Coordinates of all heavy atoms in Angstrom, one line a residue:
A1 N -29.7 -3.7 3.3 CA -28.9 -2.7 2.6 C -28.9 -1.4 3.3 O -29.9 -0.7 3.4 CB -29.5 -2.6 1.2
L2 N -27.7 -1.0 3.8 CA -27.5 0.1 4.6 C -26.9 1.3 4.0 O -27.3 2.4 4.1 CB -26.7 -0.2 5.9 CG -27.3 -1.4 6.7 CD1 -26.5 -1.8 7.9 CD2 -28.8 -1.1 7.2
I3 N -25.8 1.0 3.2 CA -25.1 2.1 2.5 C -24.8 1.6 1.1 O -24.2 0.4 1.0 CB -23.8 2.5 3.2 CG1 -24.1 3.0 4.6 CG2 -23.1 3.6 2.4 CD1 -22.9 3.4 5.4
D4 N -25.0 2.3 0.1 CA -24.8 2.0 -1.3 C -23.7 2.8 -1.9 O -23.6 4.1 -1.7 CB -26.0 2.1 -2.2 CG -27.1 1.1 -1.8 OD1 -26.7 0.1 -1.2 OD2 -28.3 1.3 -2.1
D5 N -22.8 2.2 -2.7 CA -21.9 3.0 -3.6 C -21.0 4.0 -2.9 O -20.7 5.1 -3.5 CB -22.7 3.7 -4.7 CG -23.6 2.7 -5.5 OD1 -23.1 1.5 -5.8 OD2 -24.7 3.1 -5.9
A6 N -20.4 3.6 -1.7 CA -19.4 4.4 -1.1 C -18.1 4.3 -1.9 O -17.7 3.2 -2.2 CB -19.2 4.1 0.3
I7 N -17.5 5.4 -2.3 CA -16.3 5.4 -3.1 C -15.1 5.8 -2.1 O -15.2 6.8 -1.5 CB -16.3 6.4 -4.3 CG1 -17.5 6.0 -5.2 CG2 -15.0 6.3 -5.1 CD1 -17.5 4.6 -5.8
I8 N -14.1 5.0 -2.1 CA -12.9 5.3 -1.2 C -11.7 5.7 -2.1 O -11.4 4.8 -3.0 CB -12.6 4.2 -0.3 CG1 -13.7 3.8 0.6 CG2 -11.3 4.4 0.5 CD1 -13.5 2.7 1.5
L9 N -11.0 6.8 -1.9 CA -9.8 7.1 -2.5 C -8.7 7.1 -1.4 O -8.7 7.9 -0.5 CB -9.9 8.5 -3.1 CG -8.5 9.1 -3.5 CD1 -8.0 8.3 -4.7 CD2 -8.7 10.5 -4.0
P10 N -7.9 6.0 -1.4 CA -6.9 5.8 -0.3 C -5.6 6.5 -0.6 O -4.7 5.8 -1.2 CB -6.8 4.3 -0.2 CG -7.0 3.8 -1.7 CD -7.9 4.9 -2.3
A11 N -5.5 7.8 -0.3 CA -4.2 8.5 -0.6 C -3.1 7.9 0.4 O -3.2 8.0 1.5 CB -4.4 10.0 -0.3
T12 N -2.1 7.2 -0.3 CA -1.2 6.4 0.5 C 0.3 6.7 0.1 O 0.5 6.7 -1.1 CB -1.5 4.9 0.4 OG1 -2.8 4.7 0.7 CG2 -0.6 4.0 1.2
V13 N 1.2 6.8 1.1 CA 2.6 6.8 0.8 C 3.3 5.9 1.7 O 3.0 5.8 3.0 CB 3.2 8.2 1.1 CG1 4.7 8.2 0.9 CG2 2.6 9.3 0.1
T14 N 4.1 5.0 1.2 CA 4.9 4.0 2.0 C 6.4 4.1 1.7 O 6.8 4.5 0.5 CB 4.4 2.6 1.7 OG1 4.6 2.3 0.3 CG2 3.0 2.4 2.2
A15 N 7.2 3.8 2.7 CA 8.6 3.7 2.5 C 8.9 2.2 2.5 O 8.4 1.4 3.3 CB 9.4 4.4 3.6
K16 N 9.8 1.8 1.6 CA 10.0 0.3 1.3 C 11.5 0.0 1.4 O 12.3 0.7 0.9 CB 9.4 -0.1 0.0 CG 8.0 0.1 -0.1 CD 7.5 0.0 -1.5 CE 7.7 -1.3 -2.2 NZ 7.2 -1.3 -3.6
Y17 N 11.8 -1.2 1.9 CA 13.2 -1.7 2.0 C 13.2 -3.0 1.2 O 12.4 -3.9 1.4 CB 13.6 -2.0 3.4 CG 15.1 -2.4 3.4 CD1 16.1 -1.4 3.4 CD2 15.5 -3.8 3.4 CE1 17.5 -1.8 3.4 CE2 16.8 -4.2 3.4 CZ 17.8 -3.2 3.3 OH 19.1 -3.5 3.4
H18 N 14.1 -3.1 0.2 CA 14.3 -4.2 -0.7 C 15.5 -5.1 -0.5 O 16.5 -4.5 -0.1 CB 14.3 -3.7 -2.1 CG 13.2 -2.8 -2.5 ND1 12.2 -3.1 -3.4 CD2 13.0 -1.4 -2.1 CE1 11.3 -2.1 -3.5 NE2 11.8 -1.0 -2.8
W19 N 15.4 -6.3 -0.7 CA 16.6 -7.2 -0.7 C 16.8 -7.8 -2.1 O 15.8 -8.2 -2.8 CB 16.3 -8.4 0.3 CG 16.3 -8.1 1.7 CD1 17.4 -8.0 2.6 CD2 15.1 -7.7 2.5 NE1 16.9 -7.7 3.8 CE2 15.6 -7.5 3.8 CE3 13.8 -7.6 2.2 CZ2 14.7 -7.1 4.8 CZ3 12.9 -7.2 3.2 CH2 13.4 -7.0 4.5
A20 N 18.0 -7.8 -2.6 CA 18.3 -8.4 -3.9 C 18.8 -9.8 -3.7 O 19.7 -10.1 -2.9 CB 19.5 -7.5 -4.5
M21 N 18.1 -10.7 -4.4 CA 18.5 -12.1 -4.3 C 18.8 -12.7 -5.6 O 18.8 -12.0 -6.7 CB 17.3 -12.9 -3.6 CG 16.9 -12.3 -2.3 SD 15.5 -13.2 -1.4 CE 16.4 -14.6 -0.9
D22 N 19.2 -14.0 -5.7 CA 19.6 -14.6 -6.9 C 18.5 -14.6 -7.9 O 17.3 -14.7 -7.6 CB 19.9 -16.1 -6.6 CG 21.2 -16.3 -5.8 OD1 21.9 -15.3 -5.7 OD2 21.4 -17.4 -5.3
G23 N 18.9 -14.4 -9.2 CA 17.9 -14.4 -10.3 C 17.1 -13.0 -10.4 O 16.2 -12.9 -11.2
G24 N 17.6 -12.0 -9.6 CA 16.9 -10.7 -9.6 C 15.6 -10.6 -8.8 O 15.0 -9.6 -8.7
F25 N 15.3 -11.7 -8.1 CA 14.1 -11.7 -7.2 C 14.3 -10.7 -6.1 O 15.4 -10.8 -5.4 CB 13.9 -13.1 -6.6 CG 12.7 -13.2 -5.7 CD1 11.5 -13.2 -6.2 CD2 13.0 -13.4 -4.4 CE1 10.4 -13.4 -5.3 CE2 11.9 -13.5 -3.5 CZ 10.6 -13.5 -4.0
K26 N 13.4 -9.8 -5.8 CA 13.6 -8.8 -4.8 C 12.4 -8.7 -3.9 O 11.4 -8.0 -4.2 CB 13.8 -7.4 -5.5 CG 15.2 -7.2 -6.2 CD 15.4 -5.8 -6.6 CE 16.8 -5.7 -7.2 NZ 17.1 -4.3 -7.7
P27 N 12.4 -9.4 -2.8 CA 11.3 -9.1 -1.8 C 11.5 -7.8 -1.1 O 12.6 -7.2 -1.0 CB 11.5 -10.3 -0.8 CG 12.9 -10.7 -0.9 CD 13.4 -10.4 -2.4
Y28 N 10.4 -7.3 -0.5 CA 10.5 -6.0 0.2 C 9.4 -6.0 1.3 O 8.5 -6.8 1.3 CB 10.2 -4.8 -0.8 CG 8.9 -4.8 -1.5 CD1 7.7 -4.4 -0.9 CD2 8.9 -5.2 -2.8 CE1 6.5 -4.4 -1.6 CE2 7.6 -5.2 -3.5 CZ 6.5 -4.8 -2.9 OH 5.3 -4.8 -3.6
V29 N 9.6 -5.1 2.2 CA 8.7 -4.8 3.2 C 8.5 -3.2 3.3 O 9.5 -2.5 2.9 CB 9.1 -5.3 4.7 CG1 9.0 -6.8 4.7 CG2 10.4 -4.7 5.1
G30 N 7.4 -2.8 3.8 CA 7.2 -1.3 3.9 C 6.2 -1.0 4.9 O 5.5 -1.8 5.5
A31 N 6.2 0.4 5.2 CA 5.1 0.9 6.1 C 4.9 2.4 5.7 O 5.8 3.0 5.1 CB 5.6 0.8 7.6
G32 N 3.8 2.9 6.0 CA 3.5 4.3 5.7 C 2.2 4.8 6.3 O 1.6 4.2 7.2
V33 N 1.7 5.9 5.7 CA 0.5 6.6 6.2 C -0.4 6.7 5.0 O -0.1 6.6 3.9 CB 0.8 8.0 6.7 CG1 1.7 7.9 8.0 CG2 1.6 8.8 5.7
T34 N -1.7 6.9 5.4 CA -2.8 6.9 4.5 C -3.8 7.9 4.9 O -4.0 8.1 6.1 CB -3.4 5.5 4.2 OG1 -4.3 5.6 3.1 CG2 -4.1 5.0 5.4
H35 N -4.6 8.4 4.0 CA -5.7 9.2 4.3 C -6.9 8.7 3.4 O -6.7 8.8 2.2 CB -5.5 10.7 4.1 CG -6.7 11.5 4.6 ND1 -7.7 11.9 3.8 CD2 -6.9 12.1 5.8 CE1 -8.6 12.7 4.5 NE2 -8.1 12.8 5.7
F36 N -8.0 8.2 4.0 CA -9.1 7.7 3.2 C -10.1 8.9 3.0 O -10.6 9.4 3.9 CB -9.8 6.6 4.0 CG -9.2 5.2 3.7 CD1 -7.9 5.0 3.3 CD2 -10.0 4.1 3.9 CE1 -7.3 3.8 3.1 CE2 -9.4 2.8 3.7 CZ -8.1 2.7 3.3
F37 N -10.3 9.2 1.7 CA -11.3 10.1 1.3 C -12.5 9.3 0.9 O -12.4 8.5 0.0 CB -10.8 11.0 0.2 CG -9.7 11.9 0.5 CD1 -8.4 11.6 0.3 CD2 -10.0 13.1 1.1 CE1 -7.3 12.4 0.6 CE2 -8.9 14.0 1.4 CZ -7.6 13.6 1.2
I38 N -13.6 9.4 1.5 CA -14.8 8.7 1.2 C -16.0 9.6 0.7 O -16.3 10.6 1.4 CB -15.3 7.8 2.5 CG1 -14.1 7.1 3.0 CG2 -16.5 6.9 2.1 CD1 -14.5 6.3 4.3

């Protein structure tokens, strides 16, 4: 046991591109940046 109870807050923003398909199904991909506050 080396480290206990580390809390991570992952402040994250992504930009996403969506495709509209039959039946309303919408897959997407995205990418962005994050800052981990520990």
Side-chain angles (χ1 to χ4, degrees):
L2 304 176
I3 300 175
D4 292 339
D5 302 323
I7 305 297
I8 299 177
L9 172 63
T12 303
V13 177
T14 56
K16 299 165 62 179
Y17 185 84
H18 306 252
W19 291 269
M21 304 182 74
D22 292 343
F25 180 73
K26 290 187 175 182
Y28 59 80
V29 294
V33 294
T34 188
H35 188 270
F36 275 24
F37 296 94
I38 307 176

